[in-house]
Amino acid sequence: MRLTACLVACLLLSLPLAAVAAQASELPADSLPAGQFAAPQARQAPVGAGPGGPPDASGLVFVTQQFPPFNYLERDGDTERVAGPVAEIISMACERMGVGCTFRLLPWARAQQEVRNGNADGIFTIGFVSDRQQWLHFCPPLLRAEYGFFVRTENPLRYVTPRDVSGYRVGVYGPSLTANILDQLARQVPMTVDVATDNDAGFLKLAQGRIDAVFSNRENGLATIALLRIANLRYAGWHNRVDYTVAFSRRTAPEVVEAFETALRMLHREGELQRCLARYGLQSAYPDVQGGKGR
């Protein structure tokens, strides 16, 4: 009797392991690096669910900020979720990996700190900055955007060179890569830089005539103006272009990052990445689409 009981117990304990093995065998052969295991399918938890802590063992945790049209909070009745093209691409990549993924929308400074501390695995949508390489691993660039100047409609400015905004009082959201670029510009020509920690503040000030221009990501600026229902602002021209991507904490296991990048390559090869961005009117910057890494 004791022997029979032991055999039954062993059989029961072996069932979960068999289920995991069966799940792993269903993944495409080239979707994962050798030795990578499969975890539950991609999912998304409610925004801000739970305090900051170590990544959930069942999947990857990504943080981002309110940055339409790239990332934004979408409400459907009583539920909230992080939406946008990069969140969609991450979800597809995680599904290819066979792992879960959750998104948390936070203030940008806190989002970066969560990744620095290892409380989140990755961050998006983010531009490449060499100093960030100390604590981030950047994936290949995903999409291309541009930074430029917004002015009031009665201002005839057509921005071409930094001299065109000499003497301006320019609003910018910061601390951010956008603010860093404007600071570099302010070293070339005299201007007053007005930094706001709220992305909407600069556009509201400009609409009220309290500043002369706003330096912003073009797509984000147009989306912000539309959301705020401001009618007296326009885009005056671009200063530089930038590529955005997903970046991982240096604390995230290298094999996980490798598996994610393998999934991205598959999505690019199959055209899924490009189709996702096109639905949002955005341009892919994935290597060999634009002739290089474009970072």
Side-chain angles (χ1 to χ4, degrees):
M1 290 296 290
R2 290 181 180 176
L3 178 60
T4 302
C6 290
L7 290 173
V8 171
C10 291
L11 178 61
L12 291 173
L13 289 172
S14 68
L15 288 176
L17 296 176
V20 171
Q23 183 182 10
S25 66
E26 294 173 358
L27 294 172
D30 63 342
S31 66
L32 297 173
Q36 182 65 29
F37 62 92
Q41 293 297 307
R43 57 185 170 77
Q44 177 161 306
V47 175
D56 190 290
S58 64
L60 300 175
V61 177
F62 293 90
V63 290
T64 189
Q65 64 174 329
Q66 182 77 0
F67 190 48
F70 306 102
N71 343 295
Y72 51 89
L73 190 64
E74 186 174 78
R75 293 181 174 88
D76 184 9
D78 294 332
T79 62
E80 297 178 337
R81 72 183 189 97
V82 175
V86 183
E88 287 189 23
I89 290 169
I90 291 172
S91 294
M92 288 191 292
C94 287
E95 188 172 7
R96 293 295 179 94
M97 293 168 63
V99 302
C101 63
T102 61
F103 302 114
R104 297 168 57 207
L105 191 142
L106 302 169
W108 191 232
R110 183 182 166 196
Q112 294 180 74
Q113 194 60 43
E114 290 288 282
V115 179
R116 279 179 179 268
N117 295 341
N119 293 334
D121 296 288
I123 187 170
F124 68 99
T125 301
I126 191 166
F128 177 83
V129 177
S130 57
D131 290 347
R132 292 173 175 169
Q133 287 185 296
Q134 298 173 9
W135 52 281
L136 284 176
H137 168 90
F138 286 87
C139 293
L142 292 180
L143 62 95
R144 182 151 294 162
E146 69 183 49
Y147 292 146
F149 290 89
F150 287 84
V151 296
R152 290 167 62 90
T153 51
E154 64 266 25
N155 186 335
L157 175 71
R158 288 286 183 270
Y159 180 84
V160 178
T161 71
R163 293 191 303 273
D164 296 332
V165 290
S166 178
Y168 272 40
R169 183 177 182 87
V170 183
V172 67
Y173 167 71
S176 65
L177 175 60
T178 317
N180 293 344
I181 294 173
L182 185 62
D183 284 340
Q184 295 172 14
L185 197 58
R187 297 190 188 105
Q188 301 176 38
V189 296
M191 69 173 69
T192 301
V193 176
D194 186 277
V195 180
T197 56
D198 179 356
N199 187 58
D200 297 350
F203 292 99
L204 292 171
K205 282 185 177 182
L206 179 59
Q208 296 162 5
R210 296 164 57 194
I211 55 178
D212 303 305
V214 167
F215 186 69
S216 171
N217 174 285
R218 177 182 181 271
E219 288 76 13
N220 175 247
L222 294 173
T224 301
I225 290 169
L227 289 169
L228 295 175
R229 299 183 180 181
I230 298 174
N232 64 336
L233 302 183
R234 67 174 183 83
Y235 190 60
W238 68 277
H239 172 69
N240 72 309
R241 294 192 168 93
V242 62
D243 290 342
Y244 289 132
T245 190
V246 181
F248 281 87
S249 167
R250 289 289 181 183
R251 298 171 184 246
T252 302
E255 58 269 24
V256 172
V257 178
E258 182 183 353
F260 185 87
E261 292 188 339
T262 296
L264 285 182
R265 283 195 297 273
M266 293 174 61
L267 291 170
H268 162 65
R269 190 184 310 146
E270 297 166 7
E272 289 294 332
L273 191 154
Q274 298 91 320
R275 283 189 286 272
C276 177
L277 292 172
R279 287 197 298 272
Y280 291 84
L282 298 173
Q283 181 183 10
S284 173
Y286 198 85
D288 84 20
V289 174
Q290 297 298 330
K293 292 188 176 182
R295 290 183 175 180

